[in-house]
Amino acid sequence: MIGNGALYVSRTFGTLNDGGEFESVFLTVLRYGDVGPVAAETFELEDLDRARARFAELLPDPLRLPPNAATRAIARSSKAISAADSNGVRALVRDDFVFEDRGKRALVRGDIETWLGSMQFTMALPEIRIEREIIATLGERIALQRMIAKGGPEGGEFELLHRVRLIVVDATGKLGTVILFDLDDRKLAFVEALDRFAAGEAAETGGVAPFAAFIRAVAAYDWEAARRTLAPDFVLDDRRTLGLGRLDRDQWIASMEAQAALGPGLAGEVRRVLAWNRHGLVVELRTYGMVDGGGPFENLFLSVFMTNGDCIRSSNPFDLTDADRALARFAKLSDEPAP
């Protein structure tokens, strides 16, 4: 059983009215909704591979980031660029579009013509191939991509560049900003994305700004600044299977400091914003780093952050597969009056 579904072997048996006994053994794929089972499919025992494939098909992938307006806009522009349709790209951007390449070897800022020139230069390289992966979506208007440009023949290819790209669109879906970061500035790209989300699409609600300030402080390992973003009566109520339990403000800050001391490169990323309002937000977080004497670690989970003015009142982490529970908790806490 995983999350909201199960795959198991079923056996029914009994005695018929005429006295004969019967037995049937088969596979069952069962899917659960909010109030119980909502679908069941059966397979012969020898069809285990088919049953497993159906189980995987029915259940949502908790790691998949759904597309938003920003990812769709950049996909359209990439298609136009591949077709050498410069006018098509120009039609997809705002009049005040800004392109920045913050790479240490570039440090370029300009308009759509600067962006077109940069991409045309890259695409003109021999046997160039660009791999793209969406690594974060914040609301509808912001996305982050990991981009790898490779050259050379298949099997003997070499990497030309490895970047993180921040994409910002307006309410109509037109591209407003594209920023490139070096791979070792990935953490800065995530901080900037969240700051732009808080100041843009989420600005009217106001509940996201304290969380953005907290993430900014943690990214800088400024634990005192992080503490100031938490209310004096802040409570962490960790509802994960292997969670931290219940901690107050100082205990939580101390736990993050201790984790950072275990090895270099502790970082946290907001991969997705599932919901937000004036009371706070629900996010998918990824924390990662290295442990001295050990190896790399990675942890993905959901968390409900409730805010009040300039402070975070509480945090409720959930397992990644518990999105429904996290969103229900957020809805309940949003209905409760702030203390």
Side-chain angles (χ1 to χ4, degrees), residues 241-262:
T241 304
L242 300 175
L244 299 171
R246 193 174 176 88
L247 303 178
D248 63 23
R249 179 179 67 175
D250 292 338
Q251 289 171 329
W252 193 35
I253 293 294
S255 74
M256 285 188 283
E257 286 189 82
Q259 189 175 23
L262 290 176

Side-chain angles (χ1 to χ4, degrees), residues 1-2 4-8 28-32 55 59:
M1 181 170 178
I2 301 177
N4 57 351
L7 168 60
Y8 55 89
T28 298
V29 174
L30 190 64
R31 184 157 53 93
Y32 295 97
F55 180 57
L59 295 179

Side-chain angles (χ1 to χ4, degrees), residues 20 110 127 147 171 201 213 215 227-228 230 240 262 297 307:
E127 299 180 292
M147 298 176 58
E201 190 175 2
I215 292 295
R227 181 182 282 104
R228 289 195 298 269
L230 307 179
R240 291 173 292 178
L262 290 176
F297 71 88
T307 62

Side-chain angles (χ1 to χ4, degrees), residues 20-62:
E21 295 183 350
F22 72 91
E23 180 185 52
S24 178
V25 182
F26 52 92
L27 300 169
T28 298
V29 174
L30 190 64
R31 184 157 53 93
Y32 295 97
D34 293 337
V35 294
V38 295
E41 299 182 32
T42 58
F43 297 81
E44 299 290 352
L45 279 180
E46 58 266 26
D47 287 336
L48 178 59
D49 289 342
R50 285 182 57 215
R52 283 176 170 164
R54 182 59 175 158
F55 180 57
E57 178 184 333
L58 289 173
L59 295 179
D61 180 1

Side-chain angles (χ1 to χ4, degrees), residues 132-276:
R132 303 176 182 89
E133 177 192 7
I134 300 298
I135 55 177
T137 55
L138 282 69
E140 274 296 307
R141 304 180 195 173
I142 293 179
L144 285 165
Q145 277 186 326
R146 184 174 65 90
M147 298 176 58
I148 304 176
K150 296 181 178 180
E154 293 284 353
E157 61 192 12
F158 54 90
E159 189 174 301
L160 297 171
L161 62 86
H162 195 164
R163 298 287 192 86
V164 175
R165 179 162 68 174
L166 170 62
I167 305 115
V168 184
V169 302
D170 64 14
T172 68
K174 281 202 166 187
L175 286 162
T177 305
V178 171
I179 305 175
L180 295 177
F181 295 83
D182 285 336
L183 184 61
D184 56 4
D185 286 333
R186 175 175 171 137
K187 184 165 60 172
L188 299 180
F190 273 85
V191 170
E192 173 127 359
L194 184 58
D195 281 341
R196 285 176 176 264
F197 173 68
E201 190 175 2
E204 291 185 6
T205 66
V208 176
F211 174 71
F214 169 75
I215 292 295
R216 197 182 315 119
V218 171
Y221 307 124
D222 187 342
W223 306 115
E224 188 53 42
R227 181 182 282 104
R228 289 195 298 269
T229 67
L230 307 179
D233 58 350
F234 169 88
V235 174
L236 173 78
D237 185 4
D238 196 335
R239 302 186 175 215
R240 291 173 292 178
T241 304
L242 300 175
L244 299 171
R246 193 174 176 88
L247 303 178
D248 63 23
R249 179 179 67 175
D250 292 338
Q251 289 171 329
W252 193 35
I253 293 294
S255 74
M256 285 188 283
E257 286 189 82
Q259 189 175 23
L262 290 176
L266 171 69
E269 300 176 348
V270 178
R271 294 186 73 239
R272 183 183 172 199
V273 180
L274 284 72
W276 71 93

